Amino acid sequence: MLLDIFDPKAPPKPIGIDLGTTNSIVAHVRDGRPVALTTCDGTALLPSVVYYGDHGAVVVGAAARAYATRAPTRTIASVKRFVGRGMDDPQVRQLGTYRFVEPESAEAARTVRFDVGGRVVSPVEVSAEILRSLKRSAEEQLQAVGGAVVTVPAYFDDAQRQATRDAGRLAGLEVLRLLNEPTAAALAYGLQSRQNGLFAVYDLGGGTFDVTLLVLDDGVFQVRSTGGDSALGGDDMDRLIADRVLAAMGFGAGDAPPPEIVGLALDGARQVKHALTDAAEAVIEVPRRGGGSTEVRLDRAAFDELIGPLLERTGRACRRALRDAGVEAAALDGVILVGGATRVPRVRAYVRELFGREPLSDIDPDLVVAYGAAVQADLLANQSDAVLLLDVLPLSLGVETMGGGVDRVLPRNTTIPVGAKSVFTTFADDQTGFEIHVVQGERELAKDCRSLARFTLRGIPPMPAGMARLEVHFAVDENGLLRVRAVELTTGIE
Ligand code: ADP
Ligand code: MG
């Protein structure tokens, strides 16, 4: 019999975390292979849902999801959509029916805050609860946890990356690296040691669709283009089936069934969808309005037809991503399937038709991103410089200029880590302060880009306009995180 003996001197083990919109996973490398660890739910997948109860009680995972219909304002799901965003972001209020705390100042408006039964929490704090739960599970199984690699979508901007890293820190994790999700998937397939080339990563999750074109060139993964739809995923399939379930239960199109009934129909719909991945037909029994019960039956052909329009939307995003990268589907060296919803056979067939090749799917699509994160964590912990993994900046970084334009200090797709500087000057006589507005994005005008930070360099001695020499340094580390420093060169003020 094998006994797991607790060894107090066991070396801390590095872990990889896929902090997903719908589900989160923690993995590590054991005997050279990535494996998923069991979460508090007893499965590899931990639903990314946090419930805030009375007296400071916090519940994470499937148990939290069960509260969603009963206590919707205390149950935060899909918190990833809010990470690194401000209340000043026009999209935020449409992202969920939570109770938001109205910001009392422009500074407070920079982060979203939820009122969960009288308690105020930020997306960073909610994410930290998920990470804390995963860390605890990992500690139980590995005894001691070393650093963690946490994945983020390739299109995440600096504020979203900073917030993810803050969540890790708050959870007591040493975040070794933030890694792009598609890059993680490519790593899990070991592409970095196999071949250089151009790869498409098709990621259909619960509520988001992302497509990324990656170029691999001697250990450097470059994101050539990204695209997708932030409101498209497996949950939409559930909603389509749920409409049929509700009809069978006796609710017509004009009825507004109570939330518990909708919740019940959605749960049933998800069961049907999952069953149809392995079987040609699925049946569930649901209660009928007014008493009794009824059967809902769906076969795969009908389901495939139902989800056709959803797949067409992913197709359009893929074609756009190919166009943005200036390549034809035929030029690809591989296509990788990521996300639980790519288990659906029709999705696989659709991707095959779209790209004209068999996609890589040997690795479990729910776990592939976490596996890649674990591989990267293992490489970093072992200081193996055999594979030096680099990534590129997803969006250009710059400074707002006088006329409201943007001076691009670091263009998108620059390989990171990287540093650069740009020199500015004063535009008025005796100007003693200089405001630096750091923005990220590709648009011509600063107001159309993402505003990352504003700061003012003060104490510049009075000089005629154009005499001061202000050097602004940008440094982006391997996580894609930016640090900005400004120096007035004639005086050395920093
Ligand atoms: P995210 O990246 O958003 O966290 P996941 O990759 O975990 O999401 O995908 C979750 C989605 O995958 C859900 O909509 C879920 O119902 C779906 N899914 C999981 N397993 C299956 C299956 N066997 N068949 C069909 N859909 C599945
Ligand atoms: Mg995912």
Side-chain angles (χ1 to χ4, degrees), residues 19 82 111 127 137 169 217 221 283 297 303 306 310 336 346 355 357 366-367 374 420 435 439 458 477 480:
L19 184 59
F82 298 95
T111 43
S127 304
S137 301
R169 215 177 274 146
D217 184 14
F221 280 102
V283 189
R297 192 175 288 272
F303 174 61
L306 212 54
L310 298 179
I336 302 176
R346 178 68 199 125
F355 292 102
R357 63 164 57 236
D366 311 288
L367 306 179
E435 193 188 57
V439 297
R458 286 179 220 282
D477 68 13

Side-chain angles (χ1 to χ4, degrees), residues 391-463:
D391 226 314
V392 297
L393 268 187
L395 297 160
S396 303
L397 289 165
V399 171
E400 178 169 354
T401 58
M402 253 304 279
V406 179
D407 182 63
R408 292 233 146 70
V409 182
L410 284 169
R412 69 182 291 197
N413 284 338
T414 306
T415 305
I416 53 174
V418 69
K421 61 187 174 191
S422 202
V423 178
F424 297 86
T425 188
T426 45
F427 47 84
D429 285 341
D430 302 333
Q431 187 181 335
T432 57
F434 189 84
E435 193 188 57
I436 295 156
H437 181 203
V438 183
V439 297
Q440 183 164 30
E442 310 312 313
R443 306 285 294 275
E444 303 264 309
L445 297 177
K447 69 173 174 51
D448 298 326
C449 291
R450 173 72 198 249
S451 166
L452 292 179
R454 281 177 197 272
F455 63 96
T456 307
L457 184 66
R458 286 179 220 282
I460 302 169
M463 284 184 251

